[in-house]
Amino acid sequence: MRLLIFCLFLSALAGCAGSRAFTQTGQASYYADKFNGRKTASGTVYRASKRTAAHNTLPFGTIVRVTNPRNHRSVKVTITDRGPHAKGRIIDLSRKAARKIGIVEAGVAPVQLKVVRAAHP
């Protein structure tokens, strides 16, 4: 009986850990203008005027809230590409998304990520 209760406890604990929202803190940059109109890893065309982003591991179609802790501005973006390919960065934003949170002038800035909607299978 104790073993059954222990197994149920571990099962419940594992279920709770899996339901936590993904969050990440690190440095963000944004796409150079030369990438406008090029295909992304997901097959969609990158448009600087859309709110999209590249992340190395999140599934395509995931909606992420990106917050600039320096000014507390945030933007929701859709993951459509893989990257960034620069060491120490966690996300590449479209120019529109970068402008919305005020990082265009800096080029690279600290951000906080939070998944607000997982990609649909």
Side-chain angles (χ1 to χ4, degrees):
M1 186 65 165
R2 281 184 178 170
L3 181 60
L4 177 62
I5 292 171
F6 180 72
C7 288
L8 289 172
F9 172 75
L10 287 179
S11 169
L13 188 61
C16 290
S19 67
R20 287 187 193 156
F22 174 89
T23 59
Q24 190 176 20
T25 301
Q27 297 290 311
S29 53
Y30 65 95
Y31 283 86
D33 291 336
K34 70 179 183 178
F35 293 105
N36 197 42
R38 292 189 188 179
K39 258 191 182 179
T40 65
S42 68
T44 63
V45 175
Y46 168 69
R47 298 284 180 221
S49 61
K50 302 291 182 187
R51 293 178 184 173
T52 60
H55 191 275
N56 280 315
T57 58
L58 290 172
F60 298 134
T62 301
I63 308 293
V64 178
R65 177 178 289 113
V66 182
T67 303
N68 179 343
R70 291 180 177 163
N71 60 18
H72 305 288
R73 290 163 59 185
S74 66
V75 63
K76 288 182 187 175
V77 296
T78 303
I79 303 300
T80 60
D81 204 3
R82 290 289 170 238
H85 303 293
K87 187 177 178 178
R89 298 188 194 160
I90 61 168
I91 196 164
D92 266 336
L93 301 171
S94 65
R95 179 174 282 279
K96 182 172 186 168
R99 190 177 329 114
K100 176 97 171 138
I101 63 169
I103 71 165
V104 172
E105 292 299 318
V108 177
V111 293
Q112 298 165 338
L113 310 182
K114 182 176 182 181
V115 169
V116 294
R117 192 176 83 208
H120 298 294

